[in-house]
Amino acid sequence: MNEPGQVLINRKEIAQKVEELAFSINQDYQNESVLFVGVLKGAVVFLADLIRYMSIPVEIDFMAVSSYGNSTKSSGEVRILKDLEQSIDHKNVLIVEDIMDTGLTLQFLSKTLHQRHPLSIQVVTLLDKPQKRLVNIHPDYLGFTIGDNFVVGYGLDFGEKFRELPDIHVLNQ
Ligand code: 5GP
């Protein structure tokens, strides 16, 4: 098993949602510039699609934090594996995440980046699985709320596989 099963969100629905999210972000930041911080590796596809709709000046950078490895359960521990290449002092930061589950990753990232004195920090996540939330954290921009299934595709992996799938699938376990 551990193969992609039925399509949960298809490529058309994803594309439409990405455009809607970009519209809101463009409106909220108006003429300000924003640093998009992509959380490697899952958010790469989402970030790449999102920035092509931006009408405000955008910079991009990436962070990598420890992931679940080959497991589908959160270890609850978060460590920085790759940090930003630049200072975020007095910058508007938008953290771009693929999926929120326990919320521990985003809580850690928000806290860590807040200590670096940015002008602002917001979070956009394509997917949210609120059922397993362990901390009280809410994204500023949200694509889809989904149930407690492990999903793959559109950048999301299982053991580094299936990131290339254009739709989001439930993993058959
Ligand atoms: P959290 O810290 O909120 O529990 O987990 C966030 C991270 O867990 C995400 O960035 C993602 O890497 C991973 N994750 C959580 N749920 C899923 C899922 O359903 N599919 C995949 N591929 N990764 C997930």
Side-chain angles (χ1 to χ4, degrees):
M1 285 302 249
N2 288 330
E3 291 294 325
Q6 76 179 88
V7 172
L8 187 66
I9 308 169
N10 70 40
R11 63 198 80 181
K12 258 191 159 171
E13 295 168 313
I14 298 170
Q16 197 184 336
K17 187 63 79 178
V18 170
E19 199 173 345
E20 281 171 27
L21 289 169
F23 183 83
S24 302
I25 295 166
N26 278 326
Q27 284 220 317
D28 292 352
Y29 287 96
Q30 297 283 346
N31 294 321
E32 298 192 55
S33 60
V34 183
L35 174 66
F36 281 48
V37 172
V39 185
L40 293 173
K41 302 172 191 170
V44 162
V45 179
F46 176 40
L47 182 142
D49 279 350
L50 196 59
I51 60 170
R52 279 175 281 181
Y53 287 109
M54 300 317 299
S55 55
I56 52 173
V58 160
E59 288 180 274
I60 64 171
D61 205 339
F62 296 93
M63 277 184 93
V65 291
S66 50
S67 71
Y68 303 176
N70 284 346
S71 160
T72 56
K73 292 228 176 74
S74 174
S75 61
E77 233 181 77
V78 186
R79 282 181 305 122
I80 295 181
L81 302 177
K82 182 215 170 293
D83 209 334
L84 298 176
E85 290 178 359
Q86 57 185 286
S87 161
I88 56 168
D89 195 52
H90 291 93
K91 288 194 174 178
N92 293 306
V93 172
L94 180 65
I95 301 175
V96 183
E97 177 65 299
D98 49 3
I99 186 165
M100 222 175 147
D101 189 10
T102 61
L104 289 167
T105 305
L106 272 176
Q107 186 190 46
F108 171 82
L109 282 172
S110 302
K111 228 171 157 180
T112 303
L113 296 184
H114 259 298
Q115 290 164 357
R116 301 181 188 180
H117 312 294
L119 198 56
S120 67
I121 295 195
Q122 294 211 96
V123 172
V124 56
T125 182
L126 181 66
L127 303 172
D128 185 17
K129 295 201 289 194
Q131 283 164 30
K132 289 266 179 70
R133 192 75 90 253
L134 292 177
V135 290
N136 187 21
I137 183 166
H138 304 277
D140 301 283
Y141 306 94
L142 168 64
F144 304 95
T145 300
I146 62 171
D148 189 24
N149 291 312
F150 196 85
V151 292
V152 295
Y154 194 70
L156 289 151
D157 74 314
F158 175 71
E160 293 301 324
K161 292 201 290 188
F162 314 128
R163 294 191 197 276
E164 73 280 14
L165 299 175
D167 306 300
I168 294 171
H169 300 248
V170 172
L171 186 76
N172 279 337
Q173 289 173 296

Short mmCIF file of all heavy atoms in Angstrom, two decimals, residues 39 67-68 74 97-106 129 149-152 156-158, ligand 1:
data_model
loop_
_atom_site.label_atom_id
_atom_site.label_comp_id
_atom_site.label_asym_id
_atom_site.label_seq_id
_atom_site.Cartn_x
_atom_site.Cartn_y
_atom_site.Cartn_z
N VAL A 39 8.30 27.13 3.13
CA VAL A 39 8.77 26.07 4.03
C VAL A 39 9.06 24.83 3.16
O VAL A 39 8.15 24.24 2.58
CB VAL A 39 7.72 25.76 5.11
CG1 VAL A 39 8.28 24.75 6.11
CG2 VAL A 39 7.29 27.03 5.84
N SER A 67 11.22 17.26 9.36
CA SER A 67 9.90 16.76 8.97
C SER A 67 9.67 15.39 9.58
O SER A 67 10.42 14.96 10.46
CB SER A 67 9.80 16.69 7.45
OG SER A 67 10.59 15.64 6.98
N TYR A 68 8.68 14.71 9.08
CA TYR A 68 8.33 13.42 9.69
C TYR A 68 9.17 12.27 9.15
O TYR A 68 8.94 11.14 9.53
CB TYR A 68 6.86 13.08 9.39
CG TYR A 68 5.85 14.10 9.83
CD1 TYR A 68 4.52 13.91 9.53
CD2 TYR A 68 6.21 15.23 10.55
CE1 TYR A 68 3.57 14.84 9.92
CE2 TYR A 68 5.27 16.15 10.95
CZ TYR A 68 3.96 15.95 10.64
OH TYR A 68 3.01 16.84 11.02
N SER A 74 3.41 13.13 13.37
CA SER A 74 4.31 14.18 13.83
C SER A 74 5.07 13.73 15.07
O SER A 74 4.49 13.17 15.98
CB SER A 74 3.52 15.44 14.15
OG SER A 74 4.37 16.40 14.72
N GLU A 97 3.16 27.91 3.73
CA GLU A 97 3.20 26.52 4.21
C GLU A 97 2.25 25.68 3.35
O GLU A 97 1.24 26.18 2.84
CB GLU A 97 2.80 26.51 5.69
CG GLU A 97 2.72 25.17 6.36
CD GLU A 97 4.04 24.43 6.47
OE1 GLU A 97 4.63 24.14 5.41
OE2 GLU A 97 4.47 24.10 7.59
N ASP A 98 2.60 24.42 3.19
CA ASP A 98 1.73 23.53 2.41
C ASP A 98 0.53 23.06 3.22
O ASP A 98 -0.60 23.13 2.77
CB ASP A 98 2.53 22.32 1.87
CG ASP A 98 3.36 21.63 2.96
OD1 ASP A 98 3.28 22.04 4.14
OD2 ASP A 98 4.09 20.68 2.62
N ILE A 99 0.81 22.58 4.44
CA ILE A 99 -0.26 22.00 5.23
C ILE A 99 0.01 22.20 6.72
O ILE A 99 1.16 22.13 7.17
CB ILE A 99 -0.45 20.50 4.88
CG1 ILE A 99 -1.67 19.90 5.59
CG2 ILE A 99 0.78 19.69 5.16
CD1 ILE A 99 -2.11 18.56 5.00
N MET A 100 -1.04 22.45 7.45
CA MET A 100 -0.96 22.64 8.90
C MET A 100 -1.67 21.46 9.54
O MET A 100 -2.81 21.15 9.17
CB MET A 100 -1.74 23.90 9.23
CG MET A 100 -1.13 24.78 10.22
SD MET A 100 -2.16 26.25 10.30
CE MET A 100 -1.95 26.59 12.00
N ASP A 101 -1.01 20.84 10.49
CA ASP A 101 -1.60 19.67 11.15
C ASP A 101 -1.67 19.95 12.65
O ASP A 101 -2.64 20.54 13.12
CB ASP A 101 -0.73 18.45 10.82
CG ASP A 101 -1.37 17.14 11.25
OD1 ASP A 101 -2.53 17.14 11.63
OD2 ASP A 101 -0.67 16.10 11.19
N THR A 102 -0.64 19.58 13.40
CA THR A 102 -0.65 19.90 14.83
C THR A 102 -0.49 21.41 15.04
O THR A 102 -0.89 21.94 16.07
CB THR A 102 0.52 19.20 15.56
OG1 THR A 102 1.74 19.67 15.00
CG2 THR A 102 0.43 17.70 15.43
N GLY A 103 0.14 22.10 14.07
CA GLY A 103 0.41 23.53 14.21
C GLY A 103 1.77 23.81 14.82
O GLY A 103 2.20 24.96 14.91
N LEU A 104 2.48 22.75 15.21
CA LEU A 104 3.77 22.93 15.89
C LEU A 104 4.82 23.57 14.98
O LEU A 104 5.60 24.41 15.41
CB LEU A 104 4.28 21.58 16.41
CG LEU A 104 3.52 21.01 17.61
CD1 LEU A 104 3.89 19.55 17.86
CD2 LEU A 104 3.79 21.84 18.86
N THR A 105 4.81 23.18 13.71
CA THR A 105 5.80 23.74 12.77
C THR A 105 5.60 25.24 12.63
O THR A 105 6.54 26.03 12.73
CB THR A 105 5.67 23.06 11.39
OG1 THR A 105 5.79 21.66 11.56
CG2 THR A 105 6.73 23.56 10.43
N LEU A 106 4.35 25.64 12.40
CA LEU A 106 4.08 27.07 12.20
C LEU A 106 4.27 27.87 13.48
O LEU A 106 4.72 29.01 13.43
CB LEU A 106 2.67 27.26 11.65
CG LEU A 106 2.61 27.19 10.13
CD1 LEU A 106 1.18 27.29 9.64
CD2 LEU A 106 3.45 28.30 9.50
N LYS A 129 -5.53 20.84 8.54
CA LYS A 129 -6.16 19.67 9.16
C LYS A 129 -6.38 20.01 10.63
O LYS A 129 -5.53 19.68 11.47
CB LYS A 129 -5.24 18.45 9.04
CG LYS A 129 -5.01 17.99 7.62
CD LYS A 129 -4.54 16.55 7.54
CE LYS A 129 -3.15 16.33 8.02
NZ LYS A 129 -2.62 15.00 7.63
N ASN A 149 -6.82 12.99 6.98
CA ASN A 149 -6.20 12.02 6.07
C ASN A 149 -4.80 12.48 5.75
O ASN A 149 -4.56 13.68 5.67
CB ASN A 149 -6.96 11.96 4.74
CG ASN A 149 -8.33 11.34 4.90
OD1 ASN A 149 -8.45 10.29 5.52
ND2 ASN A 149 -9.34 11.99 4.37
N PHE A 150 -3.90 11.54 5.51
CA PHE A 150 -2.57 11.91 5.02
C PHE A 150 -2.68 12.10 3.52
O PHE A 150 -3.18 11.24 2.80
CB PHE A 150 -1.53 10.84 5.36
CG PHE A 150 -0.13 11.36 5.21
CD1 PHE A 150 0.48 12.05 6.25
CD2 PHE A 150 0.56 11.19 4.03
CE1 PHE A 150 1.77 12.56 6.11
CE2 PHE A 150 1.85 11.69 3.88
CZ PHE A 150 2.46 12.38 4.92
N VAL A 151 -2.25 13.27 3.03
CA VAL A 151 -2.41 13.59 1.61
C VAL A 151 -1.06 13.77 0.92
O VAL A 151 -0.07 14.15 1.57
CB VAL A 151 -3.30 14.84 1.41
CG1 VAL A 151 -4.73 14.57 1.83
CG2 VAL A 151 -2.75 16.05 2.17
N VAL A 152 -1.05 13.50 -0.37
CA VAL A 152 0.17 13.65 -1.18
C VAL A 152 -0.17 14.34 -2.50
O VAL A 152 -1.33 14.39 -2.90
CB VAL A 152 0.85 12.29 -1.47
CG1 VAL A 152 1.37 11.64 -0.20
CG2 VAL A 152 -0.09 11.34 -2.21
N LEU A 156 3.40 17.86 -1.94
CA LEU A 156 3.37 17.08 -0.70
C LEU A 156 3.84 15.65 -0.96
O LEU A 156 3.41 15.02 -1.92
CB LEU A 156 1.96 17.05 -0.13
CG LEU A 156 1.47 18.38 0.45
CD1 LEU A 156 -0.03 18.49 0.33
CD2 LEU A 156 1.90 18.48 1.90
N ASP A 157 4.68 15.14 -0.05
CA ASP A 157 5.29 13.83 -0.29
C ASP A 157 4.88 12.79 0.75
O ASP A 157 4.32 13.11 1.79
CB ASP A 157 6.82 13.95 -0.21
CG ASP A 157 7.31 14.12 1.23
OD1 ASP A 157 6.71 14.93 1.95
OD2 ASP A 157 8.26 13.43 1.65
N PHE A 158 5.21 11.58 0.41
CA PHE A 158 5.31 10.51 1.42
C PHE A 158 6.66 9.86 1.18
O PHE A 158 6.87 9.25 0.11
CB PHE A 158 4.18 9.48 1.29
CG PHE A 158 4.35 8.33 2.23
CD1 PHE A 158 4.16 8.50 3.59
CD2 PHE A 158 4.75 7.07 1.77
CE1 PHE A 158 4.36 7.45 4.48
CE2 PHE A 158 4.95 6.02 2.65
CZ PHE A 158 4.75 6.21 4.01
P1 5GP B 1 2.49 20.21 11.93
O1 5GP B 1 3.74 20.73 12.56
O2 5GP B 1 1.44 21.29 11.75
O3 5GP B 1 1.96 19.01 12.63
O4 5GP B 1 2.88 19.62 10.55
C1 5GP B 1 3.21 20.38 9.48
C2 5GP B 1 4.03 19.59 8.50
O5 5GP B 1 3.73 18.19 8.55
C3 5GP B 1 3.74 20.00 7.09
O6 5GP B 1 4.58 21.06 6.68
C4 5GP B 1 3.99 18.73 6.31
O7 5GP B 1 5.36 18.66 5.97
C5 5GP B 1 3.69 17.63 7.28
N1 5GP B 1 2.34 17.06 7.06
C6 5GP B 1 1.27 17.15 7.89
N2 5GP B 1 0.21 16.52 7.37
C7 5GP B 1 0.61 16.04 6.17
C8 5GP B 1 -0.05 15.30 5.13
O8 5GP B 1 -1.25 14.96 5.18
N3 5GP B 1 0.69 14.99 4.04
C9 5GP B 1 2.00 15.34 3.92
N4 5GP B 1 2.63 14.97 2.80
N5 5GP B 1 2.65 16.04 4.87
C10 5GP B 1 1.97 16.38 5.98
#
